[in-house]
Amino acid sequence: MAVILLAEINDGELAIDSTAKAVSASMNLGEITVLATGTNCAAAAAQAATINGVSRVLCAEDVIYGKRMAEPVADLIVSLAGGYEHIVAPATADAKNIMPRVAAMLDSMIISEATAVIDSNTFERPIYAGNAIQTVKSDDDKKIITIRTSTFAAAGTGEAAEVEKIAAVADPRLSSWVEDKVAANDRPELTSAGVVVSGGRGVGSEEDFTLIETLADKLGAAVGASRAAVDSGYAPNDWQVGQTGKVVAPDLYVAIGISGAIQHLAGMKDSKIIVAINKDEEAPIFQVADYGLVADLFEAVPELVSKL
């Protein structure tokens, strides 16, 4: 059995954390070949080759792969699929755009957000906002899988595997790139941060959300938010943690003014240590918190910042 794994590459830079975790999840599925794509992906391919468990890296450099369009990448994967039983990618925004297209083109089911690999045909994935785990067994010739990387440890690095350059396939020209708008942020990336500080509706306003940001900066943390906070306009969409936002599993998650609806818990319940600050002692967040403080956040957070 063999695996082809789509590396997560942004503007020529390998997302080493998510790619290495996807490699770790795939180790029992067979020999792993990593596919690197981009306008300039040679450096990323060379870095991916050092991940333990990778036997070979294919590097497809072409301008058609430079703007992260799903269609040309999907066509490339399908052209290579013949020699692989498993086609895998970390469950990132790019892969969620590419892999269902690959599955449709190969007439296979998509196994999304896998959190455990039972055997080469059987996988676990969360459903119902993480309140149940579904075991999925596929008899398809090609297993198309996205990996929820927050549940796996990253594979280490070592001796580099072989890197082979491959030609691009024809551009299907089904879509075109218009522009990217990237929010500037000096803080760690939310899905890979070791510490996350999140605020909820209880913070009260966009102006008061600076309390959350100040504490995050003291801890060198990423900033998150509940859907209620985002819908209320306190925080931008890309900060949202939860079932309809981002899934995080940091070493430390600090939830401030967050009640703990199941949709939010689905996005952070795998955090190693959860700390909750809420003035409502009946808030559901305290049921999953390792440490809970029943207090007014407008008193507790400034005091915590001053202590730090």
Side-chain angles (χ1 to χ4, degrees):
M1 293 184 292
V3 180
I4 187 165
L5 189 152
L6 179 64
E8 176 73 5
I9 298 174
N10 302 318
D11 298 323
E13 184 175 340
L14 179 70
I16 185 68
D17 184 71
S18 58
T19 303
K21 286 178 177 178
V23 169
S24 178
S26 306
M27 283 185 178
N28 293 329
L29 296 177
E31 189 174 77
I32 299 172
T33 296
V34 169
L35 174 63
T37 64
T39 302
N40 298 292
C41 64
Q47 187 178 9
T50 66
I51 300 173
N52 291 337
V54 173
S55 61
R56 184 172 63 140
V57 177
L58 302 178
C59 178
E61 284 192 322
D62 195 284
V63 291
I64 67 171
Y65 305 128
K67 297 301 181 182
R68 301 161 68 179
M69 306 303 295
E71 293 87 355
V73 177
D75 282 4
L76 176 63
I77 293 172
V78 170
S79 74
L80 298 169
Y84 302 95
E85 182 178 348
H86 297 85
I87 302 172
V88 180
T92 61
D94 283 353
K96 290 175 183 179
N97 193 16
I98 294 166
M99 298 299 274
R101 178 176 291 273
V102 171
M105 294 171 74
L106 293 173
D107 195 25
S108 296
M109 69 183 291
I110 176 79
I111 302 171
S112 59
E113 302 273 352
T115 54
V117 176
I118 306 303
D119 57 40
S120 61
N121 299 318
T122 314
F123 309 87
E124 290 183 353
R125 60 183 299 272
I127 57 173
Y128 302 126
N131 285 291
I133 300 297
Q134 181 182 64
T135 301
V136 181
K137 184 171 184 177
S138 172
D139 293 328
D140 289 335
D141 291 337
K142 307 291 183 187
K143 279 76 174 178
I144 320 296
I145 311 153
T146 62
I147 301 293
R148 180 175 286 191
T149 56
S150 60
T151 59
F152 295 93
T157 56
E159 187 176 345
E162 172 195 359
V163 177
E164 177 186 342
K165 288 203 171 187
I166 60 173
V169 296
D171 187 351
R173 298 185 183 278
L174 295 174
S175 60
S176 60
W177 172 83
V178 177
E179 66 175 334
D180 289 332
K181 291 186 178 179
V182 181
N185 190 356
D186 293 332
R187 299 188 180 97
E189 205 281 319
L190 183 57
T191 55
S192 60
V195 182
V196 174
V197 179
S198 282
R201 194 199 304 272
V203 177
S205 69
E206 183 178 2
E207 292 73 24
D208 287 329
F209 215 85
T210 56
L211 279 173
I212 306 301
E213 296 177 62
T214 301
L215 178 58
D217 291 340
K218 282 285 186 181
L219 294 172
V223 178
S226 67
R227 177 170 181 172
V230 170
D231 287 349
S232 299
Y234 304 165
N237 287 333
D238 59 345
W239 289 4
Q240 184 177 324
V241 173
Q243 182 182 12
T244 53
K246 294 179 178 177
V247 176
V248 300
D251 295 326
L252 173 63
Y253 187 89
V254 183
I256 300 172
I258 294 175
S259 64
I262 59 171
Q263 291 85 353
H264 185 76
L265 299 184
M268 46 67 72
K269 62 185 179 61
D270 290 326
S271 304
K272 308 302 184 291
I273 296 176
I274 300 171
V275 174
I277 301 174
N278 198 301
K279 65 181 180 181
D280 178 11
E281 63 182 22
E282 301 297 327
I285 192 71
F286 289 123
Q287 296 176 15
V288 299
D290 298 285
Y291 300 93
L293 177 61
V294 179
D296 185 334
L297 70 87
F298 296 104
E299 297 175 1
V301 174
E303 185 176 355
L304 180 55
V305 169
S306 69
K307 299 287 188 186
L308 290 169

